[in-house]
């Protein structure tokens, strides 16, 4: 079979009809490129189209295959065989197309449900770059699946003929895109704000006792920050009017306040009064929280405010020391189940609760967050 000869024959038949390639393409519902490939011999029409083309040009199928006119037409039986072959090929393509259509509709439904669930579950107050990207990717997949499904079902071709319907679909897509974009833009803006706050925040450390109220009771950083139901520094004295032997406050606020504080005050004659105040506050259960195993070695805790989310504020005295008038106050305060600061860098080891671990991947955080 000479494909180029067949192509030249098809071209001559089209010219005899006075048709352009575009007009012929519309006649058989194919692309202009398909017609061009037929006529150059690069490709030949599907067998399902062969009988239709022969009837259109009023020629024999064998003439198209041979690329020249014959003196005698194909007999009726041969033509019927060709027609049956075309019908068979059409049925095979139809079954395959129906499978593609069903898969496309299922894909649209699944991606739409996934998109809706992701938007509902998205916490705009706690943006996440991965979740924002997932919403965008799911939306793009939904649009792509919708277009493919509309095309293979033939709906897209019918829709394109109705201008109002096309406009309505475009508006719907724009609205959906706006909703998705809103979440993504807000998420990126909030992430940008958090990043700016994080990188602009500075760790502030002071050993000046005059800065006590700036960061503890009267200062703005503390505000109404609470641990459980109590003010977070309720254990700490409201004012310091006794000598301080040891004092350091480290404050860091990338987006939530974090404190690492230790100080030892010598109360002298006022020791019993302060001890009574602390003992009235009491000791909350703290062992096991952030893997803490007990009291610092050589100390007795006399007051403890512990919290599974925020950490610890506690007061302690030297163990079995007669005539003691000194009380040590400590605070390790943070949130979100982890501490950005290195506790060993800013707290004295002797004041730390043994076993304490509030690093980013600490086991207590994993347990509480179920990860």
């Amino acid at each position: 079979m000479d494909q180029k000869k067949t192509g030249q024959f098809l071209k001559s038949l089209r010219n005899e009809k006075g048709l352009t390639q575009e007009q012929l393409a519309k006649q058989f519902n194919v692309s202009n490129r398909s017609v061009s490939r037929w006529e150059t011999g690069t490709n030949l029409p599907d067998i399902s189209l062969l009988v239709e083309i022969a009837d259109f040009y009023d020629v024999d199928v064998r003439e198209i295959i041979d690329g020249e006119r014959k003196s005698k037409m194909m007999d009726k039986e041969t033509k019927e065989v060709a027609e049956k072959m075309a019908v068979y090929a059409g049925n095979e393509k139809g079954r395959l197309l129906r499978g593609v259509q069903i898969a496309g509709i299922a894909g649209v439904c699944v991606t739409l449900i996934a998109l809706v669930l992701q938007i509902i579950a998205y916490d705009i107050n706690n943006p996440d770059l991965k979740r924002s990207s997932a919403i965008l990717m799911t939306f793009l997949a939904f649009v792509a699946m919708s277009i493919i499904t509309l095309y293979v079902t033939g709906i897209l071709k019918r829709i394109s003929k109705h201008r109002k319907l096309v406009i309505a679909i475009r508006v719907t897509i724009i609205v959906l895109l706006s909703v998705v974009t809103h979440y993504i833009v807000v998420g990126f803006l909030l992430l940008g704000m958090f990043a700016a706050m994080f990188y602009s925040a500075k760790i502030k450390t002071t050993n000046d006792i005059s800065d006590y109220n700036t960061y503890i009771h009267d200062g703005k950083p503390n505000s109404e920050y609470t641990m459980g139901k109590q003010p977070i520094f309720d254990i700490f004295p409201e004012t310091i009017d006794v000598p301080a032997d040891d004092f350091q406050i480290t404050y860091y606020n990338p987006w939530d306040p974090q404190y690492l504080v230790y100080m030892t005050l010598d109360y002298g004659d006022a020791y019993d009064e302060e001890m009574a105040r602390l003992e009235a506050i009491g000791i909350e259960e703290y062992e096991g929280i952030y893997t803490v195993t007990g009291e610092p070695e050589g100390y007795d805790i006399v007051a403890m405010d512990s919290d599974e989310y925020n950490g610890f504020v506690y007061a302690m005295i030297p163990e079995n020391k007669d005539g003691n008038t000194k009380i040590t106050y400590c605070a390790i305060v943070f949130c979100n189940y982890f501490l950005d600061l290195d506790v060993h860098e800013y707290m004295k080891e002797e004041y730390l609760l043994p076993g304490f671990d509030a690093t980013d991947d600490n086991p207590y955080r994993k347990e509480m967050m179920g990860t």
Side-chain angles (χ1 to χ4, degrees):
M1 178 180 177
D2 190 339
Q3 289 192 193
K4 289 188 177 181
K5 186 177 179 181
T6 298
Q8 287 295 323
F9 185 59
L10 289 171
K11 183 176 181 180
S12 65
L13 291 173
R14 175 176 61 79
N15 290 333
E16 288 176 9
K17 283 275 191 178
L19 299 173
T20 64
Q21 288 185 347
E22 183 178 1
Q23 290 171 328
L24 188 67
K26 289 182 178 179
Q27 173 67 33
F28 294 106
N29 197 27
V30 296
S31 66
N32 296 353
R33 187 178 179 185
S34 294
V35 174
S36 176
R37 290 169 68 87
W38 295 347
E39 295 182 355
T40 59
T42 306
N43 200 1
L44 291 177
D46 290 341
I47 191 171
S48 58
L49 284 176
L50 204 55
V51 174
E52 292 184 41
I53 294 172
D55 288 341
F56 180 74
Y57 287 132
D58 196 21
V59 296
D60 193 274
V61 172
R62 197 185 324 179
E63 289 180 297
I64 294 177
I65 293 173
D66 291 341
E68 59 184 8
R69 292 186 182 276
K70 303 291 182 180
S71 57
K72 294 182 179 180
M73 301 294 287
M74 182 193 301
D75 59 31
K76 183 178 180 182
E77 183 178 349
T78 304
K79 186 174 181 179
E80 286 178 354
V81 170
E83 288 176 344
K84 289 178 180 178
M85 288 175 64
V87 170
Y88 177 80
N91 289 338
E92 286 295 308
K93 289 178 67 177
R95 281 193 289 271
L96 178 62
L97 186 61
R98 280 193 294 274
V100 174
Q101 290 171 346
I102 293 171
I105 293 171
V108 170
C109 294
V110 170
T111 52
L112 178 60
I113 292 170
L115 180 62
V116 171
L117 291 176
Q118 287 180 345
I119 291 175
I120 292 173
Y122 190 85
D123 184 359
I124 199 169
N125 295 315
N126 186 26
D128 183 275
L129 181 59
K130 292 181 180 179
R131 291 187 178 184
S132 298
S133 301
I135 290 176
L136 176 60
M137 293 299 103
T138 305
F139 175 74
L140 294 177
F142 169 70
V143 172
M145 286 297 300
S146 298
I147 292 173
I148 292 171
T149 303
L150 290 173
Y151 177 76
V152 298
T153 55
I155 297 174
L156 188 62
K157 183 178 179 181
R158 294 195 292 270
I159 289 175
S160 63
K161 297 178 181 180
H162 301 278
R163 186 169 176 272
K164 291 183 179 179
L165 190 55
V166 171
I167 293 173
I169 292 173
R170 287 177 178 174
V171 170
T172 302
I173 291 174
I174 291 172
V175 170
L176 288 173
L177 184 59
S178 299
V179 172
V180 173
T181 303
H182 167 74
Y183 281 95
I184 293 172
V185 169
V186 170
F188 275 104
L189 286 175
L190 290 175
L191 284 171
M193 289 172 59
F194 287 151
M197 291 170 62
F198 180 82
Y199 288 110
S200 63
K202 295 181 179 180
I203 300 172
K204 301 174 183 178
T205 299
T206 179
N207 300 103
D208 187 348
I209 197 70
S210 64
D211 288 331
Y212 177 76
N213 281 341
T214 301
Y215 293 98
I216 305 301
H217 284 295
D218 298 334
K220 290 182 180 178
N222 181 47
S223 186
E224 295 181 357
Y225 199 26
T226 61
M227 180 181 288
K229 296 180 180 179
Q230 302 298 322
I232 205 160
F233 290 109
D234 193 44
I235 288 176
F236 279 43
E238 290 191 10
T239 58
I240 297 178
D241 49 12
V242 296
D245 290 350
D246 206 5
F247 175 79
Q248 180 171 292
I249 292 178
T250 301
Y251 172 76
Y252 182 50
N253 188 4
W255 43 72
D256 289 303
Q258 300 181 28
Y259 300 86
L260 295 178
V261 186
Y262 61 84
M263 64 178 179
T264 299
L265 303 181
D266 190 344
Y267 279 92
D269 294 338
Y271 176 77
D272 290 339
E273 181 182 349
E274 177 62 10
M275 281 293 294
R277 184 185 75 85
L278 293 173
E279 289 171 354
I281 293 174
I283 301 174
E284 288 187 345
E285 180 61 38
Y286 63 93
E287 292 186 19
I289 300 176
Y290 295 99
T291 59
V292 168
T293 59
E295 299 174 316
E297 185 176 357
Y299 286 91
D300 287 323
I301 291 177
V302 294
M304 168 66 78
D305 193 356
S306 62
D307 187 84
E308 295 179 344
Y309 187 73
N310 291 121
F312 310 91
V313 178
Y314 51 101
M316 57 189 182
I317 59 175
E319 187 178 19
N320 300 323
K321 187 174 181 180
D322 295 335
N324 174 65
T325 57
K326 294 181 180 181
I327 301 174
T328 298
Y329 302 84
C330 297
I332 306 174
V333 175
F334 49 94
C335 67
N336 295 322
Y337 301 108
F338 77 99
L339 180 66
D340 288 301
L341 300 171
D342 182 356
V343 69
H344 300 285
E345 182 178 350
Y346 298 100
M347 291 286 290
K348 288 188 174 182
E349 294 292 333
E350 63 181 291
Y351 298 152
L352 284 176
L353 297 168
F356 172 76
D357 181 7
T359 53
D360 186 34
D361 60 347
N362 71 82
Y364 189 75
R365 183 189 189 198
K366 291 178 179 179
E367 178 187 346
M368 296 303 293
M369 299 186 72
T371 59

